């Protein structure tokens, strides 16, 4: 169970501005990988490729032995629903739904609403926001909203979690809380986590650090045990 | 997706209510306009059918044509010049062979029944008052079966004329003009000097001033007798099993002889044209109202989809496929369409009930207010059109939303 990026090239626009230059990365099951680099280095671009949201111009992304580009729209969405959790810098909660309803969006999509309700409550409890379960996003603080978004990403017990600067919008206290949650999930469930961040402290909390500069891999360091 | 669709609608109460009212309003307008137009048409059609039946067979009015006379006066091929050309009607219209028609109609399986009539111009006199009327001789039993004249009797019954004996039924206006009362005798003259006393046994009120002031009914043989033309018939009203066959049958029967055979549509060509114009007017109004409502739905959904891009991206990344995103917006259009249509139909029904009870101060048929149609087809059409407008108007924004890729949206918002 791996994610493989093979000779991946990504270009944008009609001028074919190259953002990723012939990248080769293999991410093994159960790794906690941080991707760091300066702004504009191509971190987000790489993350979206690895997470099936985008496709490369050349080369291929292979997840669990299957080429992503070859998957049907249906299979792609089923895969995202069952096996992938996304956490973005902006939490993107649906403003019309309460915290609990936001967390249960993915289960609702596949008819597991009632089955997953106890787990959703447990997640909210774990993240210390169970008291906010019936509040709407507008009634919660930024940190609370981001924790709801993380609970939403975790509810289907995904094998992969993709996080694009999840702490970027938070103060240190809340940022640290989010990082601890990710570490805990990684340790407990052996979930593969790929985290984009430009904070060295947070990058150091991962078990493997990838450094990007101008679309090229400049360092790839594995720690023994995190 | 219905759940989320409802939530999104509730969170935009103002817009939702506005669209809802827009659709309600169009459905209501349609129901009211269609109700009044179709009600009016039904009434007019009924009136026409009363007076003309499905098919009317009448004597052809023959006129004197100078060219036909010339050969007899001057001899063939000779040029002739009239100082005053002869002109005028040859005789009052009458059927060539009424007995032949009776035999034919009696045995034709497409005919329900028929009623012969004989009409003459007459003058009624009561004391000093004189009043010119059309005196129509009928066979009451047959007349009752062929037309619904009996429904318009204010006093007495058509059947009171049975057996003859110089009885008559007069229009309500005639009664007023003569200042006469039910049960009184009024003298009738046809202009040849002889007068006959007739007893008023009934009053007819058709709701049309023209008719009510001119129509007098008598027993067929009575009228034939005072005109000294026994057996003469001026027209026959025919009721058919299938009213839609009237045009075809009329054309066929016209070949039997020289008499004029008209279907009720032909006899009322102008009326049929008005009906067509009404249909067009109703269609135009309906379409423009629907366009406005559909445009409202389209606009609001389009704006909303732009505002909701982030949410769409999130749903997609969570695994909601494009088809489900489309569902989300279709549900909203459909919900507003159906609920708006139902509410609008109820409003329209209410308005129709109100309008139907307003006293207009003049007679229309049996009452004094607009006749309104409550035909189920009006309501099903209103529902169908509103739902269709809602579906079409929400389809395009919904499809647009389903085609957005999550990444474009996320990048655009970085
Ligand atoms: N949709 C796009 N069109 C054009 N250029 C893009 C697009 N997305 C990203 N880029 C460019 O690619 C480079 C890398 O972007 P990104 O991966 O977002 O960087 P990072 O996340 O490391 O800050 C940047 O120079 C950015 O301007
Ligand atoms: Mg980025």
């Amino acid at each position: 169970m791996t994610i493989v990026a093979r000779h991946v090239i990504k270009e944008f626009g009609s001028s074919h501005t190259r953002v990723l230059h012939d990248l080769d990365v293999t991410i093994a099951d159960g790794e906690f990988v941080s991707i760091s680099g300066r702004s504009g280095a191509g971190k987000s671009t790489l993350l979206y490729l690895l997470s099936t949201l985008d496709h490369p111009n050349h080369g291929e992304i292979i997840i669990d032995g299957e080429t992503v580009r070859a998957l049907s729209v249906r299979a792609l969405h089923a895969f995202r629903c069952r096996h992938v959790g996304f956490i973005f810098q902006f939490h993107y909660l649906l403003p019309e739904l309460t915290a609990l309803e936001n967390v249960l969006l993915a289960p609702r999509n596949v008819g597991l609403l009632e089955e997953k309700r106890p787990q959703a409550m447990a997640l909210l409890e774990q993240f210390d926001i169970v008291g906010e379960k019936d509040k709407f996003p507008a009634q919660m603080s930024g940190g609370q909203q981001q924790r709801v978004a993380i609970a939403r990403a975790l509810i289907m017990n995904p094998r992969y979690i993709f996080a694009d600067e999840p702490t970027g919008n938070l103060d240190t206290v809340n940022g640290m809380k989010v990082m601890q949650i990710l570490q805990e999930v990684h340790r407990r469930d052996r979930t593969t986590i790929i985290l984009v961040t430009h904070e060295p402290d947070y990058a150091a909390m991962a078990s493997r650090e990838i450094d990007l500069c101008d679309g090229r891999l400049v360092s790839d360091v594995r720690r023994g045990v995190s | 997706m219905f759940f989320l669709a409802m939530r999104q609608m509730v969170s935009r109460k103002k817009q939702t209510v506005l669209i809802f009212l827009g659709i309600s309003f169009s459905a209501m307008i349609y129901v009211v306009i269609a109700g009044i137009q179709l009600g009016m048409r039904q009434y007019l059609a009924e009136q026409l059918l009363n007076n003309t039946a499905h098919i009317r067979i009448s004597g052809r009015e023959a006129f004197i044509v100078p060219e036909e006379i010339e050969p007899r006066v001057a001899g063939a091929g000779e040029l002739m010049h009239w100082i005053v050309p002869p002109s005028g009607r040859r005789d009052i219209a009458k059927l060539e062979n009424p007995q032949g028609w009776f035999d034919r109609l009696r045995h034709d399986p497409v005919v329900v029944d028929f009623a012969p009539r004989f009409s003459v111009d007459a003058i009624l006199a009561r004391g000093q008052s004189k009043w010119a009327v059309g005196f129509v001789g009928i066979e009451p039993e047959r007349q009752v079966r062929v037309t619904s004249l009996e429904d318009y009797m204010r006093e007495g019954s058509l059947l009171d004329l049975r057996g003859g004996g110089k009885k008559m039924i007069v229009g309500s206006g005639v009664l007023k003009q003569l200042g006469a009362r039910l049960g009184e005798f009024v003298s009738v003259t046809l202009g040849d000097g002889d007068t006959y006393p007739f007893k008023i046994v009934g009053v007819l009120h058709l709701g049309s001033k023209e008719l009510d002031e001119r129509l007098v009914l008598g027993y067929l043989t009575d009228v034939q007798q005072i005109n000294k033309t026994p057996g003469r018939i001026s027209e026959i009203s025919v009721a058919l099993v299938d009213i839609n066959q009237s045009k075809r049958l009329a054309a066929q029967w016209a070949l039997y002889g020289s008499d004029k055979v008209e279907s009720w549509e032909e006899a009322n060509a102008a009326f049929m044209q008005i009906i067509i114009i009404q249909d067009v007017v109703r269609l135009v109004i309906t379409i423009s109202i629907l366009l406005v409502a559909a445009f409202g739905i389209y606009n609001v959904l389009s704006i909303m989809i732009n505002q909701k891009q982030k949410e769409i991206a999130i749903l997609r990344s969570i695994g909601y496929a494009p088809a489900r995103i489309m569902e989300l917006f279709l549900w909203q259009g459909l919900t507003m369409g159906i609920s708006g249509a139902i509410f609008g139909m109820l409003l329209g029904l209410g308005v129709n009930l109100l309008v139907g009870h307003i006293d207009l101060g003049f007679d229309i048929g049996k009452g004094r207010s607009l006749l309104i149609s409550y035909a189920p087809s009006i309501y099903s059409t209103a529902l169908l059109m509103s739902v269709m407008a809602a579906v079409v108007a929400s389809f395009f924004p919904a499809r647009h939303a389903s085609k957005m890729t999550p990444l474009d949206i996320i990048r655009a918002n970085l």
Side-chain angles (χ1 to χ4, degrees), chain A residues 10-26:
Chain A
K10 184 68 184 175
E11 297 167 339
F12 283 115
S14 49
S15 56
H16 299 285
T17 316
R18 203 161 272 199
V19 173
L20 295 178
H21 302 264
D22 196 19
L23 221 67
D24 274 291
V25 192
T26 300

Side-chain angles (χ1 to χ4, degrees), chain B residues 92-94 116-120 135-138 220 223-225 227 229 232-235:
Chain B
I92 72 165
K94 63 174 188 207
R117 288 207 286 264
F118 177 60
S119 314
V120 291
F135 198 12
V136 182
I138 61 170
L220 181 62
V223 180
Q224 286 169 339
Q225 192 195 329
N227 195 49
T229 50
R232 182 178 283 194
I233 298 296
S234 45
E235 59 180 60

Side-chain angles (χ1 to χ4, degrees), chain B residues 37-57:
Chain B
Q37 277 190 351
L38 295 183
M40 188 59 93
R41 172 195 302 193
Q42 227 166 308
Y43 157 71
L44 287 174
E46 221 167 79
Q47 285 257 303
L48 285 170
L49 286 179
N50 283 341
N51 301 328
T52 64
H54 301 166
I55 288 186
R56 205 178 81 142
I57 304 166

Side-chain angles (χ1 to χ4, degrees), chain A residues 12 48 53-54 73 77 80-81 86 88 90 92-97 101 105-106 108-109 152, chain B residues 3-4 7-8 11 308 310-311 314-322 324 406-407 410-411 413:
Chain A
F12 283 115
Y48 297 147
L53 285 183
D54 203 2
V73 174
H77 283 88
R80 281 183 204 156
C81 185
F86 285 98
F88 300 97
F90 302 100
Y92 294 146
L93 297 179
L94 301 202
E96 303 88 5
L97 302 185
E101 287 166 346
L105 264 176
R108 181 186 289 279
N109 189 24
R152 184 177 64 188
Chain B
F3 161 79
L4 189 54
R7 281 301 181 82
Q8 293 198 337
S11 75
K308 293 256 169 246
K310 283 185 211 167
E311 281 89 349
I314 281 297
L315 288 170
R316 288 288 295 275
S317 70
I318 286 174
Y320 282 79
R324 313 239 29 213
L407 203 63
I410 290 166
R411 279 214 196 94
N413 287 286

Side-chain angles (χ1 to χ4, degrees), chain A residues 43-44 164-165 196, chain B residues 414:
Chain A
K43 306 183 295 292
S44 299
D164 193 355
E165 308 204 30
V196 167
Chain B
L414 274 181

Side-chain angles (χ1 to χ4, degrees), chain B residues 229-287:
Chain B
T229 50
R232 182 178 283 194
I233 298 296
S234 45
E235 59 180 60
I236 305 174
S237 297
V238 184
L240 299 174
V241 176
D242 179 3
I243 181 173
N244 296 315
Q245 296 287 320
S246 59
K247 217 164 170 174
R248 193 182 62 78
L249 286 172
Q252 191 184 321
W253 291 356
L255 304 175
Y256 292 160
S258 62
D259 294 330
K260 196 159 99 184
V261 184
E262 271 184 321
S263 69
W264 68 278
E265 290 111 316
E266 288 165 314
N268 302 286
F271 171 72
M272 295 308 285
Q273 256 168 352
I274 290 174
I275 283 185
I276 291 169
I277 290 169
Q278 270 192 354
D279 280 346
V280 171
V281 167
R282 194 169 65 250
L283 194 73
V284 168
I285 292 175
T286 309
I287 287 177

Side-chain angles (χ1 to χ4, degrees), chain B residues 77-393:
Chain B
E78 276 192 49
L79 201 61
M80 193 174 151
H81 180 72
W82 296 94
I83 295 167
V84 180
S87 65
R89 213 158 65 162
R90 276 192 189 275
D91 195 354
I92 72 165
K94 63 174 188 207
L95 290 182
E96 295 295 333
N97 178 12
Q99 209 51 52
W101 280 116
F102 295 160
D103 290 342
R104 177 168 291 133
L105 294 173
R106 206 170 282 136
H107 296 117
D108 198 329
V110 301
V111 173
V112 175
D113 209 341
F114 61 93
R117 288 207 286 264
F118 177 60
S119 314
V120 291
D121 295 328
I123 293 167
L124 304 190
R126 177 183 174 268
Q128 292 303 311
S129 338
K130 283 199 165 63
W131 191 246
V133 298
F135 198 12
V136 182
I138 61 170
E139 282 186 18
E141 298 94 331
R142 286 185 175 280
Q143 197 66 39
V144 165
R145 284 195 291 265
V146 174
T147 69
S148 52
L149 264 186
E150 178 69 21
D151 295 345
Y152 294 89
M153 291 298 296
R154 183 173 270 177
E155 306 272 0
S157 158
L158 284 184
L159 298 177
D160 292 343
L161 293 176
R162 265 186 307 197
K166 306 273 190 293
K167 290 180 282 194
M168 68 180 180
I169 290 170
V170 300
S172 57
V174 174
L175 200 68
K176 204 164 147 196
Q177 291 293 342
L178 291 173
R181 248 176 304 221
L182 196 66
E184 259 184 68
F185 282 86
V186 171
S187 63
V188 176
T189 168
L190 300 188
D192 57 2
D194 296 339
T195 60
Y196 308 89
F198 272 73
K199 186 182 180 190
I200 301 176
V201 296
V203 179
L204 188 67
H205 183 74
L206 288 167
S208 151
K209 194 164 186 271
E210 297 283 290
L211 286 171
D212 289 333
E213 285 193 342
R214 295 292 163 198
L215 191 60
V216 173
L217 302 175
Y219 192 63
L220 181 62
T221 47
D222 278 351
V223 180
Q224 286 169 339
Q225 192 195 329
I226 61 171
N227 195 49
K228 301 178 182 75
T229 50
R232 182 178 283 194
I233 298 296
S234 45
E235 59 180 60
I236 305 174
S237 297
V238 184
L240 299 174
V241 176
D242 179 3
I243 181 173
N244 296 315
Q245 296 287 320
S246 59
K247 217 164 170 174
R248 193 182 62 78
L249 286 172
Q252 191 184 321
W253 291 356
L255 304 175
Y256 292 160
S258 62
D259 294 330
K260 196 159 99 184
V261 184
E262 271 184 321
S263 69
W264 68 278
E265 290 111 316
E266 288 165 314
N268 302 286
F271 171 72
M272 295 308 285
Q273 256 168 352
I274 290 174
I275 283 185
I276 291 169
I277 290 169
Q278 270 192 354
D279 280 346
V280 171
V281 167
R282 194 169 65 250
L283 194 73
V284 168
I285 292 175
T286 309
I287 287 177
S288 37
I289 291 171
L290 279 177
L291 274 180
V292 171
F295 192 68
I297 296 182
Y298 176 85
N299 251 341
V300 168
L301 281 185
S302 295
I303 292 169
M304 188 178 93
I305 282 160
N306 274 323
Q307 290 168 347
K308 293 256 169 246
Q309 288 193 6
K310 283 185 211 167
E311 281 89 349
I312 294 169
I314 281 297
L315 288 170
R316 288 288 295 275
S317 70
I318 286 174
Y320 282 79
R324 313 239 29 213
I325 304 294
M326 197 154 156
E327 255 176 64
L328 173 64
F329 295 100
L330 279 180
W331 268 126
Q332 303 194 32
L334 210 64
T335 308
M336 290 187 284
I338 293 179
S339 59
I342 291 174
F343 183 66
M345 278 156 50
L346 290 178
L347 277 183
L349 181 64
V351 170
N352 278 354
L353 286 172
L354 274 178
V355 170
H357 278 101
I358 295 173
D359 189 335
L360 293 176
F362 55 86
D363 290 334
I364 302 177
K366 278 169 264 183
R368 292 160 67 86
S369 46
L370 279 181
L371 287 126
I372 289 177
S373 168
Y374 296 99
S377 64
I378 295 176
Y379 294 83
S380 55
T381 307
L383 184 65
L384 196 76
M385 285 193 307
S386 313
V387 170
M388 262 180 30
V391 168
V392 171

Side-chain angles (χ1 to χ4, degrees), chain A residues 166-183:
Chain A
T167 57
N169 224 18
L170 302 176
D171 57 41
T172 15
V173 177
N174 276 306
M176 204 57 205
K177 265 189 204 161
V178 167
M179 285 309 297
Q180 280 164 351
I181 289 169
L182 290 179
Q183 262 190 327

